[in-house]
Amino acid sequence: MRVHVVSDVHGNSTGLARAGDGADALVCLGDLVLFLDYADHSRGIFPDLFGKENASRIVELRTARRFEEAREFGRRLWAGVDRGPAIEKAVRKQYSELFAAFPTPTYATYGNVDIPHLWSEYAGPGTTVLDGQRVEIGGRVFGFVGGGLRTPMRTPYEIDDEEYAAKIEAVGEVDVLCTHIPPEVPDLVYDTVARRFERGSRALLAAIRRTRPRYALFGHVHQPLVRRMRIGSTECVNVGHFAGSGRPWALEW
């Protein structure tokens, strides 16, 4: 059995269409939407609406952790724009391309920049969406928990720690635990390019130690200090920034 795993697709529909080549199934750990590309400020919903120069300014402020200034700058740009419909229209365009690129079968969960209530409109019969749920793939049980935790970035699918922990608890004991965010381990949550700690989950870390899945797979941190480490008997793997690499991570048994 061979399963390919991707995360942080961020608009890479071309790569996504090839991600399942040679695999029996594809697993996607979220962040399909590209709102703003920190490497190329001309790409994404934000520069499409406000231009590359304004996108570069937002990136500069956020990278410097000047979040309140970034929010105020954003508020001035959005003044007079009907924000909700503008974003939804752009997200729908991306989702129509990305969900069409998923191979059959695909098992997917949400990232923190995704908009969950839209997924049911675009997921075809070959795509199974899971969040706080389990599924058997090739005789192994996979558990899925999507979304991220609250941050100053205020991305669309951030939830409270308690709600996230409840989803982890609902999944229970599995062979492969699939999440968008990593467990709260410094080496796994530090982004070496953004030069900041992203939010990982303590509940996820506790569940890994308690239930000991064979693998814990995640994404979210694009350039982590460490991509792979063991926690007890569990192999923890950041499957990579698919938007940049275009390469899935492969799991075989």
Side-chain angles (χ1 to χ4, degrees), residues 39 45 57 89 118 146 241:
I45 294 171
R57 179 58 177 162
K89 180 180 179 181
L118 295 179
H241 178 224

Side-chain angles (χ1 to χ4, degrees), residues 20-37:
D21 290 355
D24 298 292
L26 178 71
V27 166
C28 179
L29 305 182
D31 271 10
L32 298 183
V33 171
L34 178 60
F35 192 79
L36 177 56
D37 189 331

Side-chain angles (χ1 to χ4, degrees), residues 38-226:
Y38 277 54
D40 181 352
H41 304 165
S42 68
R43 298 181 65 243
I45 294 171
F46 192 92
D48 286 350
L49 290 171
F50 302 115
K52 180 180 178 181
E53 183 176 336
N54 286 324
S56 296
R57 179 58 177 162
I58 281 283
V59 170
E60 177 188 353
L61 290 171
R62 287 179 176 176
T63 302
R65 303 186 66 80
R66 293 157 60 185
F67 295 117
E68 189 52 48
E69 289 179 64
R71 282 194 287 272
E72 178 56 33
F73 182 66
R75 280 193 287 267
R76 292 199 299 270
L77 291 175
W78 283 104
V81 177
D82 199 345
R83 180 173 184 148
I87 290 177
E88 183 168 317
K89 180 180 179 181
V91 169
R92 285 182 177 278
K93 182 177 184 297
Q94 291 189 16
Y95 278 169
S96 66
E97 296 173 359
L98 291 159
F99 278 91
F102 276 141
T104 298
T106 291
Y107 302 89
T109 196
Y110 316 111
N112 61 290
V113 303
D114 286 311
I115 302 179
H117 77 267
L118 295 179
W119 279 36
S120 61
E121 297 184 38
Y122 295 94
T127 299
T128 302
V129 179
L130 304 115
D131 188 15
Q133 297 160 293
R134 302 147 55 104
V135 67
E136 186 176 308
I137 306 174
R140 288 191 176 179
V141 179
F142 285 63
F144 290 80
V145 175
L149 299 174
R150 304 285 184 195
T151 72
M153 303 290 281
R154 298 181 182 176
T155 51
Y157 191 40
E158 294 181 358
I159 62 176
D160 294 334
D161 289 54
E162 295 78 13
E163 183 180 352
Y164 193 88
K167 291 195 294 184
I168 291 288
E169 185 68 23
V171 165
E173 295 187 13
V174 295
D175 297 306
V176 184
L177 184 52
C178 299
T179 60
H180 177 67
I181 63 174
E184 181 60 50
V185 177
D187 285 354
L188 296 176
V189 300
Y190 186 74
D191 190 306
T192 60
V193 175
R195 292 179 296 176
R196 65 169 180 258
F197 290 97
E198 303 289 354
R199 282 213 66 190
S201 169
R202 293 180 181 178
L204 173 58
L205 177 59
I208 291 169
R209 287 172 170 161
R210 184 178 69 254
T211 66
R212 297 183 294 177
R214 297 188 189 192
Y215 291 92
L217 308 179
F218 48 85
H220 186 57
V221 182
H222 294 179
Q223 299 91 15
L225 193 62
V226 172

